[in-house]
Amino acid sequence: MTNRSSECAFFLDSPFLSGAEHQVLNNIRALIMEGLNVRVYMTGNKEFCRDVMGSLPLSPADFRIMARHETPLRLSPLRAIVEESLVFWRTFFWSFRQLAFKEFKFVHVNNGGYPGSSAARGFALAAIFVTSSPVVMTVNNMAISRSESKARYIDVLYDFCVSKSRIHWILGSQAAANRLRDVIGVSKDKLHAIHNGVSLRPCNFPEGHCPQQASLESASKTATLGVSIGHLEPRKGHITLIRAIELLKAKGVLKKDWFFLIEGVGPEAIKLKNEIESAKLGDQVSLLGRSPCVWHLMQSADVFIHPSLYGEDLPNVISEAMSLGKPVVASAVAGIPEQVLDGNTGALFQPGDYKALALAIETLMSDGKARVSMGQSGAKRHEQLFSIEVSRRAYTDFYGGLSKKNG
């Protein structure tokens, strides 16, 4: 075999750059700064590949790209299994050819969840078979068990193979690590919880002036704003937030200068709009759609609200709000309790419990001193645990230890 121990390999598969991909790109840039050579393998649409290549100080020769297989929407369960299998084996054989006779300091496969991306799993399996290099897989969501999805029974053999393999697993929270251990039986010494690092979101506008900037600044001076940011889909729990506000109104404690801004687009938009109209909350609850600059929106918030029901790990948007010194009210799901300390940096409630959410909103939006104190505590916690620098150092230390252990 050709010894290429000074080179690291990364695999990416995604339709767009999300927080998980940004973390991997930060890791790659840090390794390049340390003088290491990096090879990037990826499958994605043209926009994704262009964004990745434009984000890294590498030459085109350092990339290997396979066209992304776009799975049709609304497939029957059987057809979905066929499509996923096609992607898995297509990527496996492509990866087998790409990695043959190569050795790396390590191979890092970025996966959205578990089982997650079929392409990521195909690449990981090929890396195990065709190289003796250490293999790392990041999982950026809570693992799905077979009791939750009958389609997972097709993965039984794969689950067994990778759980007993030399793969080291990096997860964004300890909750996600525990979940993966329970679902596929990975040994504790192969599980590593490293929080994603999050920096302050920059303003999207070169001159620092957002079209909604003036109205947000004006509103933030005269009102108390609760802000929620996220894709409008059932798992994000926006309906819980609206019902909590409706309860506050029914109890007669919804003050006239309290306003709630919900940013995002998605399949729940019409349902949420109808719920707002039905509860006659239109004067105080606004669906913003896609904001031209999320930075200004987050900056204007007095309280940041994240009412997710499921399907989370360690939401970047919560860490972003903390970095701006905003108190966070969030559901105690997945790794969120590792971010938000109840009563210290914000408030936690059980997923779907709109009564508890209403109480937390009423308490925080009525107490300016508590908001400031919790926001300051959250900013310190972000700097200590969730900053780019802390995460980058944790990853580079992990990579270094992995290389020595397998050197």
Side-chain angles (χ1 to χ4, degrees):
M1 285 191 176
T2 302
N3 184 8
R4 306 187 67 174
S5 60
S6 65
E7 188 171 69
C8 314
F10 285 81
F11 178 80
L12 298 169
D13 169 56
S14 178
F16 55 86
L17 282 178
S18 67
E21 282 69 42
H22 280 295
Q23 178 65 61
V24 173
L25 296 181
N26 284 333
N27 295 348
I28 293 173
R29 284 189 285 266
L31 292 170
I32 293 172
M33 289 290 291
E34 291 184 358
L36 294 175
N37 299 316
V38 176
R39 176 69 58 85
V40 178
Y41 300 86
M42 59 181 169
T43 173
N45 55 36
K46 290 182 180 179
E47 182 180 1
F48 174 75
C49 293
R50 183 188 66 239
D51 289 345
V52 170
M53 296 179 75
S55 299
L56 297 173
L58 296 172
S59 72
D62 294 317
F63 294 89
R64 296 290 183 272
I65 301 172
M66 182 179 73
R68 182 179 175 84
H69 177 83
E70 297 297 341
T71 303
L73 298 175
R74 297 181 180 179
L75 297 176
S76 67
L78 180 58
R79 177 72 187 280
I81 290 173
V82 171
E83 289 285 335
E84 291 295 308
S85 297
L86 175 64
V87 172
F88 176 89
W89 289 111
R90 177 172 175 261
T91 310
F92 175 85
F93 288 114
W94 176 81
S95 306
F96 198 98
R97 293 193 300 272
Q98 293 291 331
L99 300 176
F101 308 111
K102 295 181 177 67
E103 289 298 313
F104 304 92
K105 287 182 73 67
F106 60 83
V107 178
H108 186 151
V109 183
N110 187 62
N111 196 5
Y114 193 88
S117 161
S118 294
R121 290 188 291 144
F123 190 92
L125 194 64
I128 294 170
F129 281 143
V130 81
T131 78
S132 60
S133 307
V135 179
V136 178
M137 181 177 278
T138 45
V139 174
N140 295 288
N141 217 318
M142 304 296 277
I144 299 173
S145 67
R146 286 185 281 276
S147 63
E148 292 174 306
S149 172
K150 299 301 186 234
R152 285 280 287 113
Y153 279 97
I154 198 173
D155 300 320
V156 170
L157 181 58
Y158 180 86
D159 289 351
F160 177 80
C161 290
V162 296
S163 68
K164 306 304 178 187
S165 73
R166 65 177 185 274
I167 292 178
H168 283 263
W169 305 80
I170 298 180
L171 302 104
S173 68
Q174 190 58 52
N178 294 342
R179 174 70 170 175
L180 186 65
R181 181 195 62 206
D182 293 342
V183 169
I184 65 172
V186 179
S187 61
K188 192 174 181 180
D189 64 307
K190 296 283 184 64
L191 293 169
H192 314 272
I194 301 179
H195 301 317
N196 283 340
V198 178
S199 60
L200 292 171
R201 285 203 191 196
C203 175
N204 291 338
F205 294 84
E207 297 180 0
H209 183 79
C210 167
Q212 66 179 157
Q213 179 179 357
S215 60
L216 284 171
E217 289 177 349
S218 175
S220 63
K221 291 176 182 177
T222 60
T224 303
L225 299 181
V227 172
S228 181
I229 297 172
H231 192 59
L232 303 185
E233 55 183 324
R235 73 183 182 92
K236 290 295 184 180
H238 294 100
I239 196 70
T240 305
L241 171 57
I242 293 172
R243 287 172 180 164
I245 300 169
E246 186 177 359
L247 178 60
L248 292 174
K249 181 179 179 180
K251 290 170 61 179
V253 296
L254 182 64
K255 296 181 181 179
K256 292 183 178 180
D257 62 348
W258 290 0
F259 294 91
F260 301 87
L261 308 178
I262 301 174
E263 192 273 351
V265 295
E268 284 279 277
I270 295 176
K271 180 180 179 180
L272 296 175
K273 180 181 177 182
N274 291 338
E275 188 75 19
I276 291 169
E277 291 176 352
S278 175
K280 297 181 180 180
L281 294 172
D283 291 340
Q284 292 180 267
V285 182
S286 298
L287 295 179
L288 302 180
R290 184 65 69 207
S291 173
C293 184
V294 173
W295 188 90
H296 286 290
L297 181 59
M298 295 186 81
Q299 187 75 297
S300 70
D302 292 290
V303 178
F304 186 79
I305 306 169
H306 196 76
S308 284
L309 299 175
Y310 59 91
E312 295 282 14
D313 180 9
L314 202 85
N316 282 350
V317 70
I318 289 180
S319 294
E320 288 170 340
M322 292 169 64
S323 75
L324 288 169
K326 305 301 177 182
V328 177
V329 176
S331 54
V333 64
I336 292 177
E338 296 174 39
Q339 294 173 291
V340 180
L341 297 183
D342 191 32
N344 181 278
T345 67
L348 295 173
F349 64 96
Q350 290 305 306
D353 188 347
Y354 69 91
K355 293 180 181 178
L357 174 55
L359 179 60
I361 291 173
E362 180 185 359
T363 301
L364 264 180
M365 295 188 78
S366 300
D367 191 341
K369 289 184 179 180
R371 292 198 300 271
V372 172
S373 175
M374 287 183 173
Q376 291 173 344
S377 296
K380 290 178 182 177
R381 186 168 176 79
H382 169 268
E383 186 177 353
Q384 294 169 352
L385 298 177
F386 306 111
S387 69
I388 288 290
E389 292 73 21
V390 169
S391 179
R392 184 186 295 128
R393 188 162 56 248
Y395 267 99
T396 52
D397 288 349
F398 171 80
Y399 291 145
L402 193 65
S403 298
K404 290 177 183 177
K405 189 182 298 183
N406 293 271

